[in-house]
Amino acid sequence: LGYGGGGSVSGRAYNSKECFQQALGLKADFPEAWFRLGYLCDGTSVGGRSYSKEECLEKSKELYEKALELKADNSEAWGWLGVLGGGTVRGQSYNREECFAKQEECEEKARGAETPAPTPATTPAPTPAPASTSTPTLVPTAAPQAMDM
């Protein structure tokens, strides 16, 4: 609910900040909740303790670094670490741009794993397009861009 600005649960309305606070009450190692509470809400109180904006963002950064220690091909964690200005993973420091490059590298690997490159034996011959009197409209696609917040 926090992503959509809040909502109601069992008749009680929650705003976005309250949703992320509730999420942290259930799962204290939820890095995106820490990020959103720090970046969007200028800090929070969780479990009776107050956290400044900087503390929330640092906690988020630590959790993304930990996620990448466990699974280095986590493109989402690389992207968020880039948004946070970079970090250290497995003893190596990465700046913002390097994190976004790692994110793209992971996404390219994932796309490659999902769609194997065609081989001459498996590539079908092109099929001629049907005759048409109208000109087709092409819609360009853009490569994924890193979030800049």
Side-chain angles (χ1 to χ4, degrees), residues 4-146:
S8 286
V9 176
S10 299
R12 184 189 185 289
Y14 293 88
N15 64 30
S16 184
K17 182 176 183 174
E18 292 169 322
C19 290
F20 287 115
Q21 287 171 321
Q22 290 292 322
L24 289 175
L26 298 172
K27 187 175 190 251
D29 63 348
F30 181 27
E32 193 171 343
W34 284 108
F35 173 82
R36 294 199 181 254
L37 287 166
Y39 189 79
L40 302 175
C41 301
D42 291 327
T44 191
S45 179
V46 176
R49 181 174 183 261
S50 293
Y51 294 87
S52 69
K53 175 179 184 163
E54 292 75 22
E55 288 172 315
C56 288
L57 295 175
E58 185 59 33
K59 183 78 170 165
S60 175
K61 181 178 174 177
E62 290 170 7
L63 291 168
Y64 284 122
E65 288 172 335
K66 183 178 179 182
L68 289 165
E69 295 280 337
L70 299 173
K71 189 173 186 273
D73 64 348
N74 184 332
S75 66
E76 186 175 331
W78 280 115
W80 283 110
L81 195 57
V83 169
L84 289 162
T88 302
V89 178
R90 297 183 180 173
Q92 183 174 345
S93 293
Y94 294 88
N95 65 29
R96 176 184 175 92
E97 292 76 23
E98 290 168 328
C99 289
F100 291 139
K102 291 291 284 183
Q103 175 189 23
E104 182 62 28
E105 178 184 312
C106 292
E107 289 172 353
E108 286 176 10
K109 282 183 183 176
R111 283 191 297 269
E114 294 169 4
T115 310
T119 62
T122 62
T123 304
T127 305
S132 173
T133 58
S134 65
T135 305
T137 304
L138 300 177
V139 179
T141 58
Q145 298 294 315

